[in-house]
Amino acid sequence: MDDQHPRRDQGRGRPRPRGGPPWRREGGPARLRGGPGFLRARGTGSGGRDRRVPWPSTLLLAVLVVAGSVFAGRHQHRVGLDAYAVLLLLAGPALLLSRRRHPVVAVYGVVVTVLVYLGAGYPYGPVFVSVVVAVFAAIAAGHQYAAWWAVGLLWAGHLLLAHWLYRWLPPAGDHAAPWGQEVVVAAWVVAVCAAGELLRVRRERWAREAAEREAAERRRTDEERMRIARELHDVLAHSISVINVQAGVGLALLDADPEQARSALTTIKAASKEALGEVRQVLDTLRTPGDAPRTPAPGLDRLPELVEQAAAAGLAVEVRREGGPVPLPPGADLAAFRIIQEALTNVVRHSGSRTARITLAYERGAGRVGAQDPEPGSRTPARRPAAAPGLLRLRIDDAGPATHGNAGGGGNGVVGMRERTAALGGTIEAGPDPDGGFRVHATIPLTPEETP
């Protein structure tokens, strides 16, 4: 009964997923990759900062400030710590509890608290640690000007207390602080601000690098998804088209010509077996990411198989080659095979013609780029020039006419061919001929390292 009626979130009325991977159960990939869902889950706001109350660190800071001030007061001729002093010492860490939500209020509040503490004549010591933490928090949150003004206020207030107001403030008989001490205080102020700025810059750089890594990972995922979609489309569209044509032939000749019907069924069996094998190869790469495929990717060496399958579907294919064949890299070889496969599939499905012509033109690099002859009498050898890229040109023509109002120019197959050629830096043109047929013309560049 529970499986038939999934639980719903209170007040929302939406089914709650009961199974699947963590990102499906917990609200999507954003929670795993630092997106908005992840930020909300960790108690962060729209700005991306962690807005949880920092209880543990603040409690540790309060203990450090109070204990350190008690120890420091034993070696200074200042007013002894009392309950009021402890309250002032604890007021700073208490204000730091809001440093993530309200960093400006926290830094100014801590500065005022420290000035009141010093004005009351209590000893110097770790009370300034609260100021450092507040300044760092404000600068990291992007309020560097507020942090600088707060530190400047603390320094100016200390000057007033240590050089002019000490006569009327406790402890009695106190003397003005030496001016050399103010140089140390100024250096401390500059060091705190500089360290805060460095922390802010590094945090922004880390956040930017994390965002770039996430974007790159998303692009790789999208590219892999599109590659798998193209592979499945090309395999299934071609094989199912052949199966569909042969099934029609078998049904039409089942009674009149049983032998021809048997041949059609044999072709259906072979095409379905081949399709299942290629689909299984694609699915294996999904189940075991990172492993090398068990069988090599198809290439132009399997062009005779395409011609035989097209012939079994009633399509006579003529193959022409221009130029000397060159070894093709795996990516270009696979792209060329899939483009020819998709083009023949479109002819079988959408064209009234029973003939097609495939032209393969291999063009080597036109000369050498950057060649230089050594100067006469020079011992410097000639610099080896770089080869210009070669080209592989594919052209698939059929005489037409289109039988279903479209010769294959508006489906996902042509889109997949364009994506394949674009990924290799090539171009493709697919469209009707003036004579009524359909032509696919693709140009695939070959880099110098890939051509002999």
Side-chain angles (χ1 to χ4, degrees), residues 309-381:
Q309 292 178 359
L315 180 66
V317 180
E318 177 187 359
V319 179
R320 295 181 178 179
R321 300 181 185 270
E322 299 177 0
V326 297
L328 299 180
D333 203 14
L334 174 62
F337 177 83
R338 293 302 188 196
I339 290 172
I340 296 174
Q341 185 183 52
E342 179 62 27
L344 293 181
T345 301
N346 288 336
V347 174
V348 172
R349 295 175 58 189
H350 303 293
S351 177
S353 175
R354 294 296 87 193
T355 60
R357 183 171 64 252
I358 300 174
T359 303
L360 302 174
Y362 300 90
E363 298 183 7
R364 297 177 181 270
R368 295 281 178 170
V369 179
Q372 289 185 353
D373 295 330
E375 297 181 358
S378 174
R379 297 183 179 181
T380 303

Side-chain angles (χ1 to χ4, degrees), residues 110-418:
V110 170
V111 166
V112 171
T113 301
V114 172
L115 287 177
V116 173
Y117 173 87
L118 296 178
Y122 295 117
Y124 293 91
V127 65
F128 293 103
V129 177
S130 299
V131 179
V132 174
V133 175
V135 169
F136 272 47
I139 294 179
H143 301 283
Q144 53 265 42
Y145 292 111
W148 297 344
W149 279 106
V151 173
L153 175 63
L154 177 62
W155 189 33
H158 180 264
L159 286 176
L160 289 175
L161 294 175
H163 294 278
W164 286 281
L165 300 180
Y166 68 92
R167 300 180 181 89
W168 301 279
L169 296 175
D174 195 10
H175 301 281
W179 284 100
Q181 176 180 329
E182 303 305 327
V183 177
V184 177
V185 174
W188 176 81
V189 169
V190 173
V192 169
C193 292
E197 281 295 319
L198 178 61
L199 176 63
R200 180 183 64 84
V201 171
R202 299 193 68 173
R203 288 184 61 178
E204 291 179 354
R205 187 183 66 183
W206 293 335
R208 183 170 59 253
E209 292 176 352
E212 292 174 354
R213 288 194 299 269
E214 182 180 358
E217 184 177 354
R218 285 199 301 267
R219 286 195 300 269
R220 288 193 296 268
T221 302
D222 292 341
E223 291 172 359
E224 183 66 12
R225 178 176 57 84
M226 294 302 298
R227 184 192 69 81
I228 293 173
R230 286 195 300 266
E231 289 295 316
L232 290 177
H233 173 272
D234 293 345
V235 171
L236 296 178
H238 176 75
S239 300
I240 292 177
S241 296
V242 172
I243 291 173
N244 180 55
V245 171
Q246 292 300 315
V249 172
L251 289 175
L253 301 177
L254 184 61
D255 297 328
D257 192 348
E259 289 300 324
Q260 187 68 22
R262 182 186 298 274
S263 177
L265 291 176
T266 302
T267 302
I268 290 174
K269 180 180 179 181
S272 61
K273 181 179 179 180
E274 179 183 358
L276 288 175
E278 295 196 25
V279 170
R280 187 179 295 111
Q281 178 181 351
V282 174
L283 295 180
D284 286 343
T285 61
L286 294 178
R287 293 191 181 99
T288 56
D291 292 348
R294 298 180 181 179
T295 57
L300 291 181
D301 56 336
R302 291 181 52 185
L303 183 57
E305 297 181 20
L306 289 181
V307 174
E308 292 179 3
Q309 292 178 359
L315 180 66
V317 180
E318 177 187 359
V319 179
R320 295 181 178 179
R321 300 181 185 270
E322 299 177 0
V326 297
L328 299 180
D333 203 14
L334 174 62
F337 177 83
R338 293 302 188 196
I339 290 172
I340 296 174
Q341 185 183 52
E342 179 62 27
L344 293 181
T345 301
N346 288 336
V347 174
V348 172
R349 295 175 58 189
H350 303 293
S351 177
S353 175
R354 294 296 87 193
T355 60
R357 183 171 64 252
I358 300 174
T359 303
L360 302 174
Y362 300 90
E363 298 183 7
R364 297 177 181 270
R368 295 281 178 170
V369 179
Q372 289 185 353
D373 295 330
E375 297 181 358
S378 174
R379 297 183 179 181
T380 303
R383 180 168 57 89
R384 184 177 182 181
L391 293 175
L392 171 63
R393 299 185 184 273
L394 302 175
R395 196 175 71 188
I396 302 94
D397 301 274
D398 73 275
T403 58
H404 299 291
N406 188 351
N412 292 328
V414 175
V415 175
M417 289 191 290
R418 290 196 181 101

